[in-house]
Amino acid sequence: MGKADRRRWDGNVKSMEIIAKPRDQITEDDLIFLRENYTSAGGLLPNAYSGGAFFTPTHVARFMWDALKPLLPAKPRVLEPSVGAGVFLEHAPSDAKITALELDKTSAKVTSLLYPEAAVVEGDALTHDRRDYYDLVIGNPPYGVSVEFAPPFELEEWTLSKSRGKRKGKSEVAFIELAIKAVKPGGYVAFVLPTGLAFANYAKKLRAYIHETCWQVATILLPGETFAATGTTIATQIMVIRKAPPNAKLIEPATKKWGSNFRRSDFGDIADYGAKFLEGQTPAYFAKITDIGIDKHGKVTIPDGEESQLDALLEDFTDEGLVRENLYPHIPSWHGINKGNDAFFFSHGNGMCDGIRDAEYTYSDGPLRWQELTLGAGEEIDGRGTWFDACLEWQDDLLREEGLS
């Protein structure tokens, strides 16, 4: 065990000593210690024991909240289904009504002490029974762990396999599906996820489910160093989606033929791939962080007061879409690689797709950002445009039609 892991281990041991004390004997210094040192066992013990939990760096959680706050109503109802020690609660708006779920007893106790204003529930999130309720589901669910659970509603459909009344599958698939079921139409899901979801066969049904029920808002690729401090260098991504209402239909795009700026292209018809997107889908937004501000040893490399690449991306979310509006949509990265367009929420092409190559010229210092074609490059569909702002209006109109906005 290296020095960094030893420090984490010692911090966790002392944290357990603190939470074992009666509440009236836990001091403010104890709470400060918990906030600064408790990280659970992710990366210290095998995933099968630690539940695949790798706690999120605070500046990643802060960015996700800063990007989403302008999209949420006052007093938003929020679910954090794998809260850990509460890093996502640290940056939540003060008026948010938060339900925080956590399977690990120690983590649940730590979070309830640090964030007494949240409703912290110790238990299995996958049996949570609220549906179409939350304005936002946010978090960093466990990855790569096999889960088995009995859903709260016997006849409810899931993409996971079924055996004797229980559902089985990968934890990240189960948590994403839970989030979509729990969030209300027009609400948002924002998760940190492994990049393998773009390709893995075990997530094929999940990708189709997302495609049929949600609009893509943003996908931000993070480097392996992001979780170095907690013992893993797995490549991850932030995925933000918005749940569509039941009346939103999958339709063919207006732009049919699309060519490449960087490789020979026959300007093939994307309809040949059965391309369809939900009404109101904006051009798909992607970004890639090339320097997360943490080195491979988990040491912070951004001096206090300096802007990180994540901070630089906030303009894209808070300037009424002006940056996105000016990002011309490129040929989709799933085009021509034998992937259906139900995977358009994720970036493909191993870093060689048109959008990312263009972004390397345009934003050479990072963060890279680009858009990929969905419904069209400005053409109208039934009198509606297909640029960013027109599609957002389309989404809101569909929600109003269902009385959901």
Side-chain angles (χ1 to χ4, degrees):
M1 183 180 289
K3 290 183 179 179
D5 286 346
R6 171 57 63 183
R7 284 195 297 270
R8 288 185 59 217
W9 184 271
D10 292 343
N12 289 333
V13 170
K14 184 175 178 179
S15 295
M16 287 187 281
E17 294 172 355
I18 290 172
I19 67 172
K21 297 192 294 187
R23 179 64 184 93
D24 59 0
Q25 294 181 23
I26 296 176
T27 67
E28 187 63 31
D29 286 342
D30 287 336
L31 296 177
I32 291 172
F33 183 90
L34 291 175
R35 190 184 302 274
E36 294 180 349
N37 293 278
Y38 180 71
T39 62
S40 187
L44 296 176
L45 295 172
N47 274 1
Y49 184 87
S50 62
F54 293 95
F55 283 16
T56 311
T58 186
H59 70 299
V60 174
R62 183 179 66 245
F63 162 77
M64 292 169 67
W65 269 114
D66 288 347
L68 288 158
K69 285 175 186 176
L71 304 176
L72 300 175
K75 299 180 180 180
R77 294 183 293 199
V78 178
L79 174 66
E80 217 292 29
S82 54
V83 73
V87 66
F88 282 97
L89 306 191
E90 181 181 349
H91 304 288
S94 59
D95 64 347
K97 299 178 180 179
I98 299 175
T99 300
L101 310 177
E102 177 53 46
L103 185 61
D104 180 77
K105 182 176 181 179
T106 300
S107 296
K109 182 66 179 293
V110 169
T111 301
S112 65
L113 289 170
L114 294 178
Y115 305 97
E117 68 282 0
V120 179
V121 180
E122 179 192 337
D124 189 349
L126 299 176
T127 63
H128 189 61
D129 62 359
R130 282 180 175 165
R131 297 292 183 263
D132 299 316
Y133 179 80
Y134 296 98
D135 298 295
L136 171 67
V137 182
I138 190 170
N140 177 16
Y143 312 154
V145 179
S146 295
V147 295
E148 181 179 13
F149 62 98
F153 305 108
E154 184 177 352
L155 299 179
E156 188 173 60
E157 290 296 324
W158 286 73
T159 67
L160 300 170
S161 63
K162 184 177 181 180
S163 175
R164 298 180 180 180
K166 292 189 175 182
R167 297 288 178 170
K168 300 179 181 180
K170 291 293 186 181
S171 51
E172 58 266 41
V173 172
F175 272 82
I176 296 169
E177 190 161 355
L178 167 71
I180 295 172
K181 294 179 186 303
V183 77
K184 69 180 186 181
Y188 297 86
V189 175
F191 272 173
V192 180
L193 298 165
T195 57
L197 284 169
F199 305 96
N201 286 333
Y202 70 77
K204 184 176 181 179
K205 290 182 179 179
L206 175 72
R207 291 192 295 266
Y209 179 64
I210 300 173
H211 180 236
E212 294 165 0
T213 58
C214 297
W215 292 298
Q216 192 252 24
V217 177
T219 301
I220 300 168
L221 305 177
L222 303 175
E225 293 83 8
T226 303
F227 289 91
T230 52
T232 183
T233 56
I234 184 173
T236 54
Q237 59 195 324
I238 298 170
M239 185 177 73
V240 184
I241 55 180
R242 188 185 194 194
K243 186 172 178 177
N247 62 328
K249 300 186 294 291
L250 287 167
I251 60 174
E252 290 187 358
T255 299
K256 300 292 187 185
K257 296 185 182 294
W258 205 247
S260 169
N261 295 325
F262 294 97
R263 60 181 183 267
R264 294 183 66 181
S265 174
D266 60 0
F267 286 80
D269 188 340
I270 68 171
D272 291 344
Y273 294 84
K276 289 187 178 181
F277 302 90
L278 283 179
E279 298 172 290
Q281 175 59 57
T282 59
Y285 174 90
F286 295 92
K288 182 176 182 179
I289 302 299
T290 58
D291 181 359
I292 194 64
I294 300 172
D295 66 18
K296 64 181 180 180
H297 304 294
K299 182 180 179 181
V300 175
T301 59
I302 299 176
D304 286 343
E306 286 198 11
E307 183 180 70
S308 71
Q309 287 193 12
L310 280 173
D311 294 328
L313 279 186
L314 281 177
E315 281 187 34
D316 294 16
F317 292 85
T318 58
D319 69 348
E320 299 181 352
L322 294 178
V323 173
R324 299 182 189 215
E325 188 76 9
N326 292 321
L327 289 173
Y328 193 73
H330 296 79
I331 184 173
S333 59
W334 53 265
H335 184 271
I337 60 170
N338 298 319
K339 287 285 181 182
N341 85 291
D342 56 1
F344 83 96
F345 293 81
F346 306 98
S347 181
H348 299 267
N350 296 322
M352 295 298 290
C353 66
D354 274 42
I356 197 168
R357 292 184 67 181
D358 190 23
E360 287 172 344
Y361 287 100
T362 309
Y363 302 102
S364 58
D365 294 331
L368 311 181
R369 75 282 301 265
W370 70 98
Q371 292 192 121
E372 297 184 2
L373 178 70
T374 55
L375 289 176
E379 299 91 335
E380 289 192 351
I381 300 176
D382 296 332
R384 292 182 178 274
T386 53
W387 289 123
F388 181 79
D389 56 350
C391 284
L392 287 184
E393 292 176 6
W394 196 347
Q395 292 180 17
D396 290 339
D397 286 345
L398 287 167
L399 288 163
R400 277 191 289 270
E401 288 172 10
E402 289 284 293
L404 297 168
S405 179

